[in-house]
Amino acid sequence: MALSRTALVCLFTLLGFSYPTNADTVRFGPLIAQSQAPLQVTGLAPMMHDPMSLATDETEVFASLTIASVWANTPDYLFDYYHNQIMAGFMNAPSETTKIGVWYQYRYAANNRLDGLTEKFHSIFGIDQNGRTEVDEDRFYIHIPNDMAEPIEGFGGDPLLSAFSLYGEKTLYHDEHHAISVGATLFFNRVSHGVFTNTTFEQAMQVNYGYQRDKHKLTASLGLTHRPDKPQHFVDVKPWGINAGVSYQYALLKHHELIAEYLISQGKGDNDNLGELTSLVHEFALGYRYLFDDSAIELMALENMFNHDNSTDIVFSATFRHRLTL
């Protein structure tokens, strides 16, 4: 786990900088993070939600920027490109047991220069390059031989996703340390131009669990997603998908938190010729959060695990979150 070791060094370096305040800081829940697998990024990828966050009439607003590099090289397919995302939204608690949220995300293909960084990481720690050094850097290239007569190339600048999500949540149980809730997401995506042109309406249901005691905070979610019967990312996808995740947040100091998350998604491909794209997606995220009085800045690095040819090579994200009472 080369990235994890390097990220830890960076995080502990950041801990040397502190901006003390006299006011109590607000604790946030999981990272603003989603699966970044090639098929997952063109549709609804549910997020974890903390059933213990937000008191009545509280609102959280957030904005994030994510950059990712995709390299998936097998005899069945080749994905080699970059994607980036801008995401913003809010979550409001109109009552003690109800939350409503809306967010918009725009994901597009653009060169973020992560190929060279990834290759250096692999070289330093002796990890196989898996063919990366045998092709040109900074490509936008997709080829699925069994489904495409010719590769798709040069789609830099094209949008992959332009979607609104509406989320509602109901708390079923809550005490001092534990909480359980159920949530539902309505997702509408419309990409009107480029090679990823598509219009989809998807839905998801999920169960959320939260635990908090002293410096420790745990969140877990299990969800079921329904998709329309139409191709995404040039291939047929399963009409139903299961996603799960667990997040552990540790309050290291008053203003500093470390977060580790594990995301698992059912393979989205619905064709035996798609190989690893039909297998489970395993992703690990390591994050650092700096807490102000009622705001937070999050830095996250995410990498794939186990099945390395059905997810992104590397993902970096920065998020700003703010809590207010309306």
Side-chain angles (χ1 to χ4, degrees):
M1 298 287 290
L3 170 63
S4 300
R5 296 173 186 170
T6 304
L8 279 173
V9 172
C10 295
L11 294 183
F12 282 107
T13 300
L14 286 170
L15 294 180
F17 299 89
S18 180
Y19 306 87
T21 64
N22 295 323
D24 291 334
T25 54
V26 173
R27 293 206 66 182
F28 292 81
L31 298 164
I32 303 293
Q34 299 169 291
S35 173
Q36 298 292 316
L39 294 189
Q40 304 287 339
V41 298
T42 53
L44 171 57
M47 295 190 294
M48 281 185 280
H49 291 276
D50 178 14
M52 306 188 78
S53 68
L54 297 183
T56 302
D57 293 330
E58 275 193 334
T59 298
E60 178 184 322
V61 295
F62 65 89
S64 69
L65 174 64
T66 302
I67 60 174
S69 174
V70 175
W71 173 263
N73 182 18
T74 76
D76 301 306
Y77 54 84
L78 174 57
F79 293 108
D80 183 12
Y81 61 92
Y82 310 92
H83 63 80
N84 311 280
Q85 178 177 272
I86 300 168
M87 184 177 183
F90 71 90
M91 185 76 70
N92 173 258
S95 72
E96 184 179 357
T97 60
T98 305
K99 300 183 186 72
I100 299 174
V102 177
W103 53 89
Y104 172 74
Q105 56 194 123
Y106 181 75
R107 188 176 290 133
Y108 60 100
N111 193 350
N112 50 44
R113 308 292 180 180
L114 286 177
D115 271 356
L117 177 63
T118 303
E119 289 178 11
K120 289 177 182 177
F121 269 125
H122 284 237
S123 177
I124 290 172
F125 292 98
I127 302 173
D128 182 53
Q129 297 288 358
N130 192 25
R132 291 173 184 83
T133 57
E134 300 172 11
V135 301
D136 293 335
E137 291 187 358
D138 308 332
R139 291 199 308 172
F140 292 88
Y141 183 96
I142 294 176
H143 191 207
I144 307 173
N146 291 318
D147 295 318
M148 295 177 177
E150 298 291 337
I152 296 173
E153 301 183 72
F155 50 88
D158 286 5
L160 281 76
L161 191 76
S162 179
F164 283 95
S165 294
L166 172 64
Y167 177 77
E169 182 178 306
K170 185 71 173 178
T171 302
L172 303 179
Y173 175 81
H174 192 294
D175 65 17
E176 182 181 1
H177 299 296
H178 305 270
I180 298 173
S181 68
V182 293
T185 304
L186 300 178
F187 170 93
F188 179 74
N189 171 45
R190 178 172 173 76
V191 175
S192 60
H193 65 280
V195 299
F196 300 96
T197 298
N198 199 4
T199 300
T200 57
F201 176 61
E202 304 182 35
Q203 312 84 38
M205 294 285 295
Q206 64 188 79
V207 178
N208 308 302
Y209 168 73
Y211 169 83
Q212 181 171 320
R213 184 184 294 270
D214 301 325
K215 294 183 176 183
H216 308 278
K217 193 173 180 65
L218 180 75
T219 305
S221 295
L222 175 65
L224 178 67
T225 302
H226 177 255
R227 313 178 184 100
D229 183 17
K230 59 191 305 186
Q232 293 183 21
H233 226 62
F234 319 109
V235 301
D236 293 331
V237 296
K238 296 171 183 173
W240 295 92
I242 298 174
N243 301 76
V246 60
S247 171
Y248 171 69
Q249 304 120 57
Y250 178 72
L252 188 66
L253 297 170
K254 180 178 180 182
H255 297 285
H256 306 277
E257 287 187 344
L258 298 180
I259 305 104
E261 297 190 355
Y262 173 54
L263 308 175
I264 184 168
S265 307
Q266 182 181 13
K268 198 170 176 180
D270 195 23
N271 188 321
D272 292 338
N273 294 326
L274 295 176
E276 291 296 314
L277 293 179
T278 64
S279 302
L280 290 175
V281 177
H282 303 266
E283 294 162 299
F284 176 76
L286 181 64
Y288 163 76
R289 178 182 292 149
Y290 181 82
L291 298 164
F292 301 91
D293 295 347
D294 49 13
S295 303
I297 293 176
E298 297 174 352
L299 303 176
M300 179 194 75
L302 180 147
E303 64 178 15
N304 58 28
M305 299 173 64
F306 308 133
N307 295 331
H308 297 291
D309 288 318
N310 67 1
S311 187
T312 49
D313 236 7
I314 187 65
V315 181
F316 295 107
S317 179
T319 302
F320 174 76
R321 304 168 72 163
H322 179 69
R323 210 57 83 71
L324 66 154
T325 302
L326 298 179

